[in-house]
Amino acid sequence: MRIDDPQILAALPDLGIELRAGASMTEQTSLGIGGTTDLLRIRRQERLPELIRLLKGGGIPHRFLGGGTNLLILDGELPWVMLQLVRAQPDVRLEGNFAYIDCAADLGRSVTFCAKNDLGGMEGLIGVPGTVGGALRMNAGAYGTQIGSFVREVQVYRAGDGGIQTLRGSEINFEYRHTSFAPDDIMLSVKLELPSKPFREILQGIRICNEKRRASQPLNQKSAGCIFKNPPGASAGRMIDELGLKSHRVGDARVSERHANFFVNDGQARAADMLGLITDVRERVHRAFGFELEEEVIVWKG
Ligand code: EPU
C-alpha cells in the first residue's frame, strides 16, 4: 500500500515520521519473506496517537512491525502500511534494580547492558532475536526464563481508546508464549525489576545458554524461531523429527536439519511455500500423534 494523499504526506515530517516508500519486508523479517509497502518509522512515540488518527482519517490500514523475527508476511503489494518505532538513545536506563527500556531496543543487547551493570535474571533470553517490545508481546522465553516475570510496568498505545497508558505488571497476564495485550496494542517502553548478580556469574549463565542454543538451533539460517508452540506435555520439534521430516520442503521452505520446529527459508521461499509447509507438517503431526499444533509464529495473511 502506498500513501499518496498529499495532506498526509505533508504532515509526516512534523510528526517525526520517516517514510520509506515501497519497503521490502524480505529485508525487515528474519525469515526474509514478505511483500512491499510503505514503512513509517516513528521517532517520537508521543506523536503516535496523532499519526494513527491521521491514517484512520485517510482510510489507510496499518500494522505494527517490531523486529520482524517472529513473523510470516504474505507476498506482493501489502494491503497495509507498516509502522515501526525508531530506538530511543539511550534505550536502557537503570535505577537501582529497575531497568527502563525502550521497546524498540534489541532484546539481546538490553540483556547484556543490564548484565554489565550487575543486573541478571534474563540470561536465558540472550539469544532470542528481536526487540524488547516483541518479546513482551509474546512473553518470549528460553531455558526456563520468561520476560514476563520481570515486568513491573509497560507503557502502551491502546488502539481501543486511542491513547497512551501505563499498565502495571500485575494488570497483564503473561502465559506460555501468550499475553493479555490486545492484538493492536503497541508497546512503547517497559520497566523491569531484575535481581542483583555479579557480572561474571551472569556471563557464565549466558555462555551456557549460548552453547545450548548453538548446538540445537539453526542460528545461521533465515528462520522465525520455533514455528509451533509446544502442546502441554509434548515437544513439537521432537514429534516432527520422529516423523522423519527434517529437510522436508515445499519450494524453498524447509524443515531445519538441526531443529525440526525451525522452518528455514533456504533460498527464495515465498509465503505460500512456508504456509504450505506449516499446513503439511501440522496435518502429519495430527494424524500421527493426535495433537493440533498451534502456530507460534505470527502470520499476516490479509
Ligand atoms: N528434539 C528432537 N528433535 C529436534 C528438536 C528437538 O528430538 O529436531 C527434542 C530435544 O532433544 C529435546 C526436546 O525435543 O528432548 C525439546 O527440544 P529443545 O530443548 O530444543 O526445546 P524446544 O521445546 O524444542 C523450546 C522453545 C525454544 C527455546 C528452547 C530452549 C518452544 C516452542 N520452543 O524449544 O523457543 O529456545 O525451548 O528453552 O517453546 C522460540 O520460541 O521460537 C524458541 C525457539
Side-chain angles (χ1 to χ4, degrees):
M1 166 157 277
R2 305 303 157 101
I3 301 176
D4 49 16
D5 180 328
Q7 269 180 326
I8 296 182
L9 289 171
L12 295 178
D14 276 351
L15 293 173
I17 308 290
E18 175 205 340
L19 170 65
R20 291 198 187 158
S24 171
M25 293 303 118
T26 57
E27 284 154 29
Q28 300 291 334
T29 60
S30 58
L31 264 174
I33 295 178
T36 49
T37 189
D38 281 355
L39 173 66
L40 302 175
R41 308 233 319 138
I42 301 156
R43 293 185 187 287
R44 294 159 65 187
Q45 295 185 352
E46 72 282 5
R47 309 299 294 273
L48 186 58
E50 282 168 81
L51 170 67
I52 292 183
R53 272 199 298 276
L54 193 67
L55 294 176
K56 277 192 177 152
I60 299 171
H62 66 271
R63 292 267 166 114
F64 184 78
L65 180 70
T69 55
N70 194 39
L71 196 55
L72 171 57
I73 309 180
L74 83 164
D75 301 307
E77 186 64 31
L78 301 174
W80 349 269
V81 297
M82 293 288 182
L83 311 186
Q84 190 175 47
L85 296 175
V86 174
R87 190 160 61 88
Q89 303 271 7
D91 53 5
V92 186
R93 186 171 58 80
L94 302 178
E95 234 177 78
N97 285 75
F98 296 114
Y100 296 82
I101 312 182
D102 189 86
C103 281
D106 179 77
L107 177 64
R109 287 170 60 115
S110 306
V111 172
T112 309
F113 182 87
C114 294
K116 285 183 178 160
N117 288 279
D118 301 320
L119 292 178
M122 297 200 289
E123 293 81 330
L125 295 173
I126 187 74
V128 176
T131 61
V132 169
L136 276 179
R137 165 161 294 290
M138 291 295 298
N139 190 20
Y143 305 109
T145 307
Q146 298 191 109
I147 192 166
S149 358
F150 306 105
V151 173
R152 296 298 167 260
E153 266 174 26
V154 182
Q155 208 190 31
V156 61
Y157 166 82
R158 309 216 90 167
D161 61 16
I164 293 176
Q165 285 181 21
T166 302
L167 303 178
R168 281 193 304 277
S170 56
E171 293 175 277
I172 308 161
N173 229 344
F174 289 101
E175 293 163 26
Y176 167 63
R177 301 294 194 275
H178 178 79
T179 60
S180 55
F181 291 113
D184 49 8
D185 279 349
I186 299 177
M187 267 60 79
L188 302 175
S189 61
V190 62
K191 174 183 178 184
L192 302 178
E193 185 173 5
L194 301 170
S196 300
K197 233 185 197 185
F199 176 50
R200 229 178 309 151
E201 236 174 79
I202 304 174
L203 199 58
Q204 225 169 354
I206 286 178
R207 285 203 178 117
I208 293 169
C209 293
N210 274 341
E211 288 282 299
K212 286 191 192 161
R213 199 179 284 279
R214 261 197 298 272
S216 64
Q217 300 182 358
L219 303 184
N220 300 325
Q221 284 176 290
K222 289 181 187 168
S223 85
C226 283
I227 283 284
F228 298 111
K229 295 182 186 179
N230 286 333
S235 157
R238 184 183 295 148
M239 289 190 281
I240 301 168
D241 192 359
E242 281 178 8
L243 290 175
L245 293 175
K246 281 187 169 171
S247 292
H248 180 56
R249 61 164 69 230
V250 173
D252 276 344
R254 188 165 60 81
V255 177
S256 157
E257 275 151 45
R258 183 159 284 211
H259 193 300
N261 197 11
F262 279 65
F263 293 6
V264 300
N265 173 1
D266 205 15
Q268 306 289 320
R270 317 258 314 151
D273 298 333
M274 200 48 84
L275 288 167
L277 187 62
I278 291 173
T279 305
D280 185 22
V281 170
R282 182 193 280 118
E283 282 172 5
R284 287 169 189 252
V285 168
H286 188 241
R287 275 201 300 274
F289 298 98
F291 286 109
E292 190 70 52
L293 292 179
E294 195 188 324
E295 281 146 26
E296 189 203 281
V297 64
I298 294 168
V299 181
W300 287 350
K301 284 192 272 201

